[in-house]
Amino acid sequence: IHSRAMGAVFSSCGCGDGLSALLGGGAKRRQTGMGVVDAAPDGVVEAQFQRARAGSWTSPLPKAQLQGAASPGGADFEWCEEAFSLDVQPAGGSTPAAVKASIAADPDARGRRVAEASFASPGDPRAHFLTEQLFASTGTLPKAASSTDRQLRELKNTATHEMLKKLPKHLVEATGPDGQALRRRLLNGATVVFFTAGYPGKRFIFERARDMGVKSVIIEHPDSWARALVDDGIIAKFIPIDMSQDAAIVFQQTLDAIRALANDPLTREADGVVTFCELSVPVVARLTEILQLPGHSPLSVDKARDKHWTRAEMKKAGLPSPKNMLIKGEADLQAVASEVGFPAVLKPISGAASLGVKKVTGWEDLQSSYREVVTELNSLVVSSGALVKNDGSGTGVDANKVMDCTILMEQYLDGSEVDVDVVMSDGDWRYAAVTDNGPTLEPYFNETWAVCPSGLPSAAQKILKDLAIATLKCLGFQDGIFHVELKLTTHGPQLIEVNARMGGGQVHETNLRVWGIDLVEETLFCGVGIPCRPYIPSREPPGGAVAYCDINATRSGTLQSLDFLKPLKGKEGIVWAKPYIQAGTQVVGPQDGLPTWLAEIVVQKSNAQEALDYLFELQNSLDPPIGKRGIFAVPYGDEFAATQHQDDSSEVIDLECACMRKTAFVATLQATHALT
């Protein structure tokens, strides 16, 4: 049908001999987080080690698959001394700019400290695509088709679709190693378009796609880091599109570019379009709908991204939902307070990562916090490829030009928080793994730690998974990978939010190491229309347990160095230790606002409690060197002298000039040090 690795061994009748030939081949060896394993070319793993069951767990599969167990083995320590940066080139410029400490939002990663690249030149008045999606989703994108029209839609006969029609359904949907191997072979050679690449930390996604024989095409801004992946031999093609344009223009240019692939002998027609970036999910849903390719219903995606709409759909379906109400302006505060009550939580309706999320405990707190949240959202600009705090320099585009500052206030949910990573296929769930989250730092809900598998009782895990799956179904989802956040409160399970894509941060690594489930692989299956039937070869978590944490700044000041992470190097059981920021970065402590995350640590042990205890031991051993830093105005008659106090010393240094009028002094500080 097309030039894939199927070749002459493809058996349209689906007989045993044909399937055996299809899956045949010599064995290879590779290193994983579960130790050295034997692997056939299709990637099916047979573990060499076994261990006794330890700890409490519940299977993330609908039905048990009992094929033997695997040990976590020794984890290779990954050391990263360089803080993450977006090395980008502003539109129309020639000098790359590294965007680091000032980045305000990451809708994809658990750390939420690195924004998806949303490009604009300094002073560019245009509304640009990703900012529009962050604050005013769905913006100028095409309207979603109705549920009736969606049901009448027929999928295009892509090469993958043609092959699927020639194979018996029971073979393609089989659970176990042979079924998974067949699905991998079907994916081999497919052309998959990735709309936006995300931050450089997502490189592993494209490496995995290459390893599976996928011809990857990335559509991104011309100066994206992902452009180099062509020369690296990781992707087949990079298509540059100016992401500083509004969503409607970006959408049409992307649609034209995907259609043009049919005439490119390197790629041929696209088999699927996917994304691993939260802000691109509404775009990809509309692209696949128009192109008649597998994908989410745009209507379902829109319901999931609008928190108020999600709650309304849950209420109609008879699912538990906290009291909530929209705030469109200060005039609504009294009515909302009476309806929802206290304590409560404020959060932007469209979801701006952790920005603008805050707990309120009473009427006065609501008034001041609402003003604080709106001020915070209005203080953002887009500059040098990222959504950043306004530094007073006058560069960048005001985010409030496209921002919807409607705020949702909902009943505060007590109890423990969990994540449920779900794989859905053919309208039902095929995998749902629960990860426990540590208590968040209120009132800003900064995340602390997580561990998988969950240590909750099996019955508690079941009701959480049931709510996650029921919510996805009530929103109309049929297929895909989802990251669902919930809380187990004193009144039962409650939803926090639904993300209609693979979770960011440590989510992929955690599911792969603990359960052996590759969520990148499952996303690619869904993207081209191959059924998902994840396979776990044991009665227990094959990889033991993974725990990870974010190191919070304990006080405000300057992070003097990253040396505090070096003692972790060489310690057994540490998967990686990575800084979020660079030495010299100004950080915020809990006394002054939302604490800055300094770094992340990931560990792997035999069971959840052991992993968590080890993580806390390492965390408590660290003492990040944060020097105090303050700026003071010293009165001198009618004049003020600007001085600076740094790094615990008593030295007073001239900052700007010896004397200046009070108003000029305040204006200078605001401009040069982003003070308010």
Side-chain angles (χ1 to χ4, degrees), residues 554-573:
T554 55
R555 67 173 186 263
S556 299
T558 305
L559 181 64
Q560 297 172 327
S561 77
L562 298 173
D563 291 347
F564 70 99
L565 291 175
K566 290 187 176 179
L568 302 181
K569 191 172 184 179
K571 286 183 177 290
E572 183 181 358

Side-chain angles (χ1 to χ4, degrees), residues 32 39 45 78 167 189 225 259 369 394 442 444 446 464 475 505:
T32 73
V45 174
E78 181 177 339
L167 279 171
W225 64 274
R259 285 171 169 160
S369 294
E442 297 180 359
Y444 298 100
N446 222 20
L464 288 163
L475 295 176

Side-chain angles (χ1 to χ4, degrees), residues 250-268:
V250 170
F251 181 85
Q252 187 59 52
Q253 292 179 357
T254 300
L255 189 62
D256 294 342
I258 295 174
R259 285 171 169 160
L261 291 175
N263 301 318
D264 187 337
L266 179 65
T267 61
R268 296 302 183 189

